[in-house]
Amino acid sequence: MKEVWEHLEGMLSYKESLGYSRKSYEGFLNDFISYLRMYYVGAVTLIKDMALDWCVQRETEKESGYRRRATALREFTKYLYAVGVSEFILPTNYFPMSRKYTPYIFSDKELANIFSASDNEKYDRNSPCRHLIIPVIYRLIYFCGLRPNEGRELRRCDVDFESGTLFIRKNKSHRERLIPMASDMADMCKYYTKKVITLYPDTEYFFPSPTGEPYSSKWLTNHFLKLWDDVKTEGNSAKIRVYDLRHRYATAVMMKWVNEKADLYAMLPYLSSYMGHTNFADTAYYIHLLPENLLNSASIDWSRFSKLIPEVPNEK
């Protein structure tokens, strides 16, 4: 019979067949396998104590890192349980609780100010495309409901001007998707491309940094925060992220449907697919962020949504 550690490759191959990256698990689980081979040589079945002894937060480990390590072990125990060589599945109560970030929903005026300020980005000879990129990337993230890294890492070949679509590669959801752009957004991207291609004719990325590679997440975050400081209303101390443009997109679409008296439950799968969510609950979460008057709309049948919408904890 196989020892427990010999099932690791089978688990990783299974995850890859579902579209997940083995890198999400491999490093943590190799550490677990080393632990098994040191203390449980010859074990052919995983018992509870073997897993729990390893699944203890280490002194040098942050909660986020510990949660990722514990998650990897949980997935391995699920696989071992399925193939009959584990007596249990690591429960989620061994994971440290993570605090849910409450998105900031930009008002129409705030969005307009952000885009207006981005249009006034000054030319920088050390980054000659920056003043061209900034007005487009924030609009693309918002109007197409993209995750920030989906915008940053977009490649030229992913933008099809003939069909007016964006090809979004495997990302957080480990799924690819093809999404349409509004015609004015597509026109803006086309005009932008003609200018950028003269400066970076060989880069494969749609928004190239001076190196030809995508700008970093940190760079985009810092720029967005600086831009926000320039346009926010005095006294507004809200914490914001580039990701909040995506949150604002989701609520804007839902508000439009509610105002049109559309069946939100029936429309939800379309928004979920467009945004690349793996389940409807991730999309239904945004209903909590709608204005109070829309929450009371007859378009929202709470009896149908009750099992989909996660509870949002009160802020302290």
Side-chain angles (χ1 to χ4, degrees):
M1 295 181 65
K2 288 183 176 181
E3 292 188 44
V4 172
W5 66 269
E6 293 180 283
H7 293 276
L8 177 59
E9 184 58 36
M11 179 266 192
L12 295 175
S13 296
Y14 170 68
K15 284 294 186 181
E16 284 186 312
S17 72
L18 298 178
Y20 293 90
S21 170
R22 67 166 50 214
K23 292 180 180 179
S24 301
Y25 312 97
E26 194 168 22
F28 297 119
L29 294 181
N30 278 333
D31 183 81
F32 179 62
I33 295 306
S34 296
Y35 155 82
L36 289 181
R37 296 176 74 175
M38 179 178 295
Y39 296 105
Y40 296 96
V41 177
V44 296
T45 301
L46 184 71
I47 62 175
K48 189 174 183 179
D49 289 346
M50 292 162 59
L52 297 188
D53 286 348
W54 182 81
C55 194
V56 174
Q57 187 170 359
R58 299 163 183 174
E59 290 184 3
T60 58
E61 199 170 34
K62 294 181 179 179
E63 284 193 355
S64 58
Y66 173 52
R67 187 164 52 249
R68 290 194 297 271
R69 183 165 63 89
T71 298
L73 180 59
R74 173 174 162 80
E75 292 304 306
F76 192 37
T77 60
K78 286 166 64 177
Y79 176 82
L80 293 176
Y81 187 86
V83 298
V85 294
S86 177
E87 65 174 24
F88 88 117
I89 294 174
L90 183 70
T92 55
N93 60 7
Y94 278 91
F95 297 30
M97 294 296 291
S98 59
R99 295 182 179 179
K100 187 78 174 180
Y101 172 81
T102 301
Y104 181 79
I105 304 302
F106 298 110
S107 67
D108 290 345
K109 183 178 181 180
E110 287 170 338
L111 273 180
N113 289 341
I114 287 171
F115 295 144
S116 177
S118 71
D119 290 338
N120 294 321
E121 183 74 18
K122 294 181 179 179
Y123 172 78
D124 182 348
R125 64 181 181 180
N126 294 319
S127 184
C129 280
R130 192 178 71 179
H131 68 296
L132 302 173
I133 290 172
I134 292 303
V136 180
I137 193 169
Y138 292 141
R139 284 179 170 89
L140 197 66
I141 289 172
Y142 171 65
F143 287 106
C144 293
L146 302 180
R147 299 178 178 93
N149 59 318
E150 290 174 343
R152 285 190 305 102
E153 298 171 2
L154 197 68
R155 303 182 187 188
R156 282 183 179 174
C157 61
D158 296 337
V159 184
D160 188 335
F161 292 116
E162 186 173 340
S163 62
T165 58
L166 299 177
F167 175 66
I168 306 301
R169 297 170 182 272
K170 289 183 181 180
N171 218 303
K172 180 181 178 181
S173 63
H174 305 284
R175 295 181 178 181
E176 297 172 341
R177 67 190 193 277
L178 190 68
I179 60 175
M181 293 183 284
S183 58
D184 51 356
M185 188 72 248
D187 289 342
M188 186 178 196
C189 286
K190 186 181 296 186
Y191 179 73
Y192 156 83
T193 300
K194 289 179 180 178
K195 289 193 170 185
V196 170
I197 202 169
T198 61
L199 296 171
Y200 293 97
D202 299 322
T203 181
E204 64 176 306
Y205 291 98
F206 195 68
F207 297 115
S209 70
T211 66
E213 296 295 309
Y215 280 98
S216 68
S217 174
K218 183 178 180 180
W219 181 89
L220 190 66
T221 295
N222 289 340
H223 183 278
F224 191 68
L225 291 176
K226 183 178 182 303
L227 185 149
W228 173 246
D229 283 340
D230 292 339
V231 303
K232 69 180 181 182
T233 306
E234 185 177 354
N236 186 339
S237 60
K239 295 182 179 179
I240 61 99
R241 307 181 301 175
V242 183
Y243 214 108
D244 289 332
L245 292 172
R246 174 173 160 92
H247 295 316
R248 176 63 169 82
Y249 166 82
T251 58
V253 172
M254 286 186 175
M255 287 169 65
K256 179 176 182 293
W257 285 339
V258 171
N259 285 329
E260 294 173 349
K261 295 182 170 51
D263 183 343
L264 203 57
Y265 193 90
M267 300 300 289
L268 197 66
Y270 295 100
L271 182 59
S272 186
S273 178
Y274 190 89
M275 296 186 70
H277 287 149
T278 54
N279 58 72
F280 293 159
D282 292 336
T283 318
Y285 163 76
Y286 289 110
I287 293 177
H288 279 300
L289 307 178
L290 295 177
E292 190 66 30
N293 65 314
L294 293 183
L295 292 177
N296 297 323
S297 168
S299 296
I300 303 178
D301 183 347
W302 293 106
S303 65
R304 299 167 77 186
F305 278 109
S306 59
K307 293 183 179 180
L308 275 181
I309 306 176
E311 181 180 355
V312 176
N314 292 327
E315 293 291 319
K316 293 183 179 181

